[in-house]
Amino acid sequence: MKTMELIAPCHFGLEAVLKREIQDLGYEISQVEDGRVTFYGDAEAVAYANIFLRTTERILIKIGKVHAETFDELFQRTKELPWEDYLPKDGKFWIAKANSIKSKLFSPSDIQSIMKKAIVERLKGVYHQEWFPETGASYPLRVAFMKDEALIGLDTSGVSLHKRGYRQMTAKAPITETLAAALILLTPWKGDRILVDPFCGSGTFPIEAALIAANMAPGMNRSFLAEDWKELVPRKHWYHALDEARERVNLDVRTDIQGYDIDGEIVAAARANAKMAGVADLIHFQQRPVSQLNHPKKYGFVITNPPYGERLEEKAALPALYREMGEAFERLDSWSEYIITSYEDAEKYIGKKAAKNRKIYNGMLKTYFYVFPGPKPPKKSGKEGT
């Protein structure tokens, strides 16, 4: 099977998590850059990466990398690429997205137009036809210019991979599923440990944790554009990946995953989302303010996305809210807490300094992932069950 380079974009600051995920699937990394990881894989890897990877936004097949400082140069370099290896005669293709950083060519619409013309010219010569009906499957392309180098990828996913298919209702300022999964995987939490999200909103952190605990592949219940590319990614690869995903699921796993929110309607939405994801029995949702955060067991985890106060009237309530959070953490003195927020005074009002914080961009919003590690639990003696 032909080996290709596949590009997996991710949130800035979380490349190491995605790299580990790709390696765990058995693929070799070719490059790690800001906001993306590139790896080697065949047609089967396209299916496996789309279905199994939790922390990437999409999977692109790398068509090539070209240097262009003028539109004439962009046209020629684009035309030289082997488009016929990827695009059939009837394929519907277009430059779905073009962005440019520190490059002489910076107009997205002009980049899109020039590259489309170049691809058409290449295919005219190969397929010996002057007109392309574009009535077949869709082949969207993405181009990223950086310092006059354009990385060109063919999007195999379609709708972003953070759309798992379970989140029908969302709370205000939701965290994406891919970001939530990546932050959970950054922590030492495992499925047999306690996890509580006191600001659960639509349930993304608890649901992603439950999917991880039950070994459920995030892409099991959705479709992908490349499923229609029968020549490039044969259907059998999707069937094999999906069969393996189903075999790996373990819904008998014992979990203690809880989600709280002060808004009863939001809690009901979180329950509905968990049911849609197939993990409703693994999570306990409850209407409860953070001031009532407590748990009888030791060595648990709080992983949460509390309010940031994006509007002025909300910002005034943040000191009291973060103070309540800090008081709850004092009660849970053996627990570890992980918080993603853009609120600059989070540590001040929580009342303790984070052991570390990691800068992460949530969309265009700069946030920080604060780490407050608790003591490690004592090792099990191995006498349990005797």
Side-chain angles (χ1 to χ4, degrees):
M1 243 185 288
K2 179 186 173 185
T3 298
M4 305 176 280
E5 270 192 283
L6 302 177
I7 305 164
C10 64
H11 286 273
F12 283 90
L14 296 172
E15 297 83 4
V17 180
L18 175 55
K19 177 186 174 183
R20 189 170 68 237
E21 267 204 291
I22 293 167
Q23 289 173 325
D24 287 347
L25 270 184
Y27 300 115
E28 181 188 349
I29 304 295
S30 60
Q31 192 171 17
V32 178
E33 303 167 271
D34 286 347
R36 65 173 167 253
V37 180
T38 308
F39 62 102
Y40 297 108
D42 53 18
E44 184 181 71
V46 171
Y48 272 77
N50 272 295
I51 288 173
F52 283 95
L53 293 179
R54 300 181 189 278
T55 63
T56 184
E57 299 303 308
R58 60 187 66 249
I59 299 297
L60 306 168
I61 296 173
K62 181 179 174 181
I63 305 294
K65 200 169 192 178
V66 301
H67 181 92
E69 298 181 30
T70 68
F71 285 117
D72 283 344
E73 198 174 7
L74 178 62
F75 182 91
Q76 290 302 326
R77 298 289 87 79
T78 301
K79 187 180 171 185
E80 289 166 5
L81 295 171
W83 293 103
E84 63 278 7
D85 291 350
Y86 306 96
L87 305 176
K89 287 182 184 179
D90 66 345
K92 179 184 178 183
F93 59 93
W94 71 103
I95 312 299
K97 186 171 184 181
N99 57 43
S100 179
I101 300 171
K102 298 179 181 176
S103 299
K104 294 180 180 65
L105 302 181
F106 54 83
S107 164
S109 59
D110 289 333
I111 291 168
Q112 289 166 310
S113 174
I114 294 291
M115 292 186 71
K116 170 82 177 190
K117 288 176 184 173
I119 297 167
V120 169
E121 284 303 308
R122 168 80 182 203
L123 295 181
K124 277 182 182 179
V126 174
Y127 291 132
H128 307 294
Q129 59 190 58
E130 288 298 308
W131 181 76
F132 295 90
E134 300 199 43
T135 53
S138 294
Y139 294 80
L141 295 149
R142 290 180 167 244
V143 182
F145 262 95
M146 170 63 82
K147 295 180 180 176
D148 301 320
E149 296 280 338
L151 179 64
I152 306 164
L154 177 58
D155 181 8
T156 72
S157 304
V159 175
S160 173
L161 294 180
H162 82 267
K163 301 270 191 183
R164 317 287 207 214
Y166 67 73
R167 197 159 75 175
Q168 304 303 304
M169 300 182 68
T170 62
K172 187 173 55 179
I175 191 167
T176 66
E177 293 86 333
T178 45
L179 179 53
L183 295 179
I184 293 167
L185 293 173
L186 262 183
T187 78
W189 178 81
K190 297 287 183 262
D192 59 349
R193 303 280 296 275
I194 307 158
L195 186 151
V196 176
D197 179 358
F199 300 97
C200 73
S202 53
T204 311
F205 270 128
I207 293 170
E208 289 297 318
L211 292 174
I212 291 168
N215 209 13
M216 289 182 74
M220 278 177 61
N221 298 312
R222 54 157 288 168
S223 59
F224 310 93
L225 264 188
E227 288 180 71
D228 293 328
W229 304 353
K230 296 178 180 64
E231 298 300 319
L232 196 55
V233 188
R235 271 290 170 91
K236 65 180 181 180
H237 297 319
W238 298 100
Y239 296 143
H240 291 162
L242 198 52
D243 285 346
E244 185 169 334
R246 286 172 180 147
E247 286 170 9
R248 290 189 187 188
V249 175
N250 176 18
L251 288 172
D252 295 326
V253 65
R254 293 180 65 181
T255 59
D256 189 347
I257 300 171
Q258 301 183 30
Y260 307 147
D261 201 280
I262 198 168
D263 187 328
E265 287 186 13
I266 290 295
V267 171
R271 285 197 187 103
N273 289 342
K275 186 175 181 182
M276 185 73 73
V279 292
D281 293 341
L282 302 181
I283 308 169
H284 172 69
F285 288 107
Q286 189 177 348
Q287 183 178 359
R288 185 194 287 197
V290 70
S291 60
Q292 293 178 21
L293 173 59
N294 214 335
H295 200 289
K297 294 180 184 174
K298 289 180 171 291
Y299 308 113
F301 287 75
V302 170
I303 305 179
T304 194
N305 174 39
Y308 303 166
E310 292 307 297
R311 292 203 294 263
L312 283 175
E313 64 270 24
E314 293 171 343
K315 212 159 195 120
L318 291 186
L321 184 69
Y322 279 71
R323 211 175 274 121
E324 285 180 343
M325 216 188 321
E327 290 164 0
F329 294 167
E330 281 186 29
R331 294 192 294 272
L332 300 168
D333 58 354
S334 67
W335 284 45
S336 300
E337 295 94 25
Y338 297 83
I339 300 163
I340 181 169
T341 180
S342 67
Y343 183 44
E344 302 88 349
D345 292 327
E347 290 171 299
K348 174 182 173 182
Y349 291 109
I350 286 171
K352 59 179 177 178
K353 185 153 182 64
K356 64 171 79 168
N357 71 64
R358 182 186 290 250
K359 184 172 26 174
I360 292 167
Y361 281 88
N362 185 5
M364 297 304 292
L365 184 66
K366 184 169 71 174
T367 63
Y368 291 90
F369 191 50
Y370 292 97
V371 177
F372 301 96
K376 290 183 179 178
K379 289 190 176 177
K380 294 177 181 176
S381 64
K383 297 178 181 178
E384 291 179 354
T386 60

